Amino acid sequence: DIGVGADRVVMDVLIGAACALRPFVGASPWPLASFLIGRMCDAPKDRSAVAPLQAVLSHPDLAAICKSYSALRVADLLRVVQDEHTPLPQKAVAAWYAAGTTLLKGERLLRRRGDLSALFRQFENMDIPAQLSAVLQDATRSSRFALSAVLPLVWLEVRQSQTARIVRNDLGPTRTVEGIPLYAIDKHTAMGSRALAKFSKRAPAISRFLAAHGEIPRPLGAVGLAVFHAEGGRLRDQLLWQRTEEFAMLEREADAATVKLEPRGPARADADRA
C-alpha cells in the first residue's frame, strides 16, 4: 500500500525483513517489527504499483499480451520495458517475464526463465537509484513476489510527474468493535467474513445487485472486493499524481474480473451504481 509514496520506507522495511529472517542469536525480531510497522503506518500511501501487477494477473485487456510476450527473448523484453511509447501495464508484463516466471509465478503467465540481474541493470540505466534497485532485486529473489519487479516502472513515471504531491485527508475518528478498528475487519479475517455476509444481506442495494446477478460464482468475494475498494481509498496521507485515478480504475477492473464481473459489462455497471 505504500508503493512509491515513500520509497525510503519501502527500502527500510525490505532491509529490516531480510534481517528478521537472519536474526542475531537470541535477539527478538519484535522491536524491529514494531518500529517498521510504525513507519509504515505513518508513511504516505500509493497503490499505483499494485494496479499493473493485478492487471497482469487478471485484466481481460492483457490476456493476449501475456501470451504473446512469453515467446520474446529477454533482450526483446527489456526493449519493451524501456520503450517510452509502450503502455505501463504492458511494460509490467515484459518486466515480469524478464524477471523469470519460474521464480515469480503468475496464473496467466507461461513458465519460462528470465534474467533478474539484467532487468535491474536495465532499471538502473533508466535512472532507478542503485540502492533502491539493489534492495528491490534482493526482495524479488527472497519474497518471490512480483511487486518489487514492477514498482520501478511506476517510480520512474511518478518522478517525472509535474503534479505529484502528498495530500492529508481528514478521516475522523475510527470506530472499533471490542477494541479492533473496523478497517481491520476485512475479508481476510473470520470476523470480517461474518460482517461481510451480514452486510450483503442487510444493505438493500447490495442484496438487490446479488439477486439480479446470480451468475457471480463467489458473491461474498465480490462484496469483499467492493468494500475494500470503497474503504481502501480513505487514506490519511496519500500520494496523488496525474495517473492516480487511472491506475485505481485499472486495479478495480482487474479485481472485478477475478469475480467474473466484466470491466465494462452490465453487471459491472450495476455494481458501480450499487
Side-chain angles (χ1 to χ4, degrees):
D1 290 345
I2 297 171
V4 297
D7 48 30
R8 182 70 252 182
V9 174
V10 170
M11 287 193 289
D12 289 348
V13 170
L14 292 175
I15 293 171
C19 291
L21 293 174
R22 300 183 288 270
F24 296 107
V25 177
S28 169
W30 287 112
L32 175 60
S34 177
F35 171 74
L36 293 176
I37 289 169
R39 292 210 64 194
M40 287 190 286
C41 290
D42 292 337
K45 308 301 188 293
D46 175 73
R47 288 184 60 85
S48 296
V50 178
L53 182 78
Q54 188 59 47
V56 174
L57 292 172
S58 58
H59 200 292
D61 291 353
L62 286 181
I65 295 294
C66 288
K67 185 176 181 179
S68 63
Y69 279 14
S70 67
L72 295 181
R73 299 176 305 160
V74 170
D76 295 326
L77 292 168
L78 296 180
R79 278 191 280 273
V80 174
V81 168
Q82 70 174 349
D83 181 22
E84 62 182 18
H85 300 296
T86 300
L88 194 145
Q90 294 184 25
K91 288 185 179 184
V93 178
W96 199 328
Y97 272 128
T101 49
T102 55
L103 175 69
L104 307 176
K105 299 176 183 178
E107 292 180 6
R108 295 199 302 186
L109 301 178
L110 300 181
R111 297 286 296 277
R112 54 163 289 171
R113 298 182 65 179
D115 189 336
L116 189 64
S117 297
L119 173 63
F120 278 90
R121 283 197 300 271
Q122 179 64 65
F123 284 146
E124 290 184 34
N125 291 337
M126 297 164 66
D127 292 332
I128 290 291
Q131 185 182 19
L132 178 60
S133 174
V135 171
L136 290 176
Q137 183 174 350
D138 184 61
T140 305
R141 284 199 180 95
S142 60
S143 69
R144 302 196 173 192
F145 184 44
L147 180 62
S148 47
V150 173
L151 188 144
L153 296 170
V154 178
W155 188 95
L156 287 166
E157 288 218 12
V158 171
R159 288 304 176 271
Q160 296 169 4
S161 170
Q162 301 297 316
T163 63
R165 66 196 188 281
I166 304 297
V167 174
R168 168 156 288 204
N169 302 302
D170 182 13
L171 301 183
T174 300
R175 293 178 59 193
T176 62
V177 174
E178 297 180 2
I180 302 174
L182 287 181
Y183 59 73
I185 304 175
D186 62 9
K187 63 179 183 175
H188 299 294
T189 66
M191 184 183 293
S193 294
R194 292 194 298 270
L196 288 170
K198 290 182 179 180
F199 174 66
S200 64
K201 294 176 182 178
R202 296 181 182 179
I206 301 299
S207 57
R208 285 196 301 269
F209 169 78
L210 294 176
H213 298 285
E215 74 277 9
I216 298 175
R218 294 188 301 109
L220 195 59
V223 174
L225 284 174
V227 170
F228 167 76
H229 283 288
E231 295 189 345
R234 300 177 67 248
L235 301 170
R236 186 185 63 187
D237 295 311
Q238 182 179 11
L239 172 69
L240 295 180
W241 59 300
Q242 68 263 29
R243 302 190 70 180
T244 295
E245 184 51 40
E246 174 192 348
F247 280 10
M249 179 60 73
L250 181 70
E251 184 185 1
R252 288 195 294 270
E253 290 179 349
D255 277 345
T258 66
V259 291
K260 309 304 180 185
L261 283 176
E262 290 298 322
R264 287 166 288 276
R268 172 59 195 272
D270 288 350
D272 289 342
R273 286 193 290 272

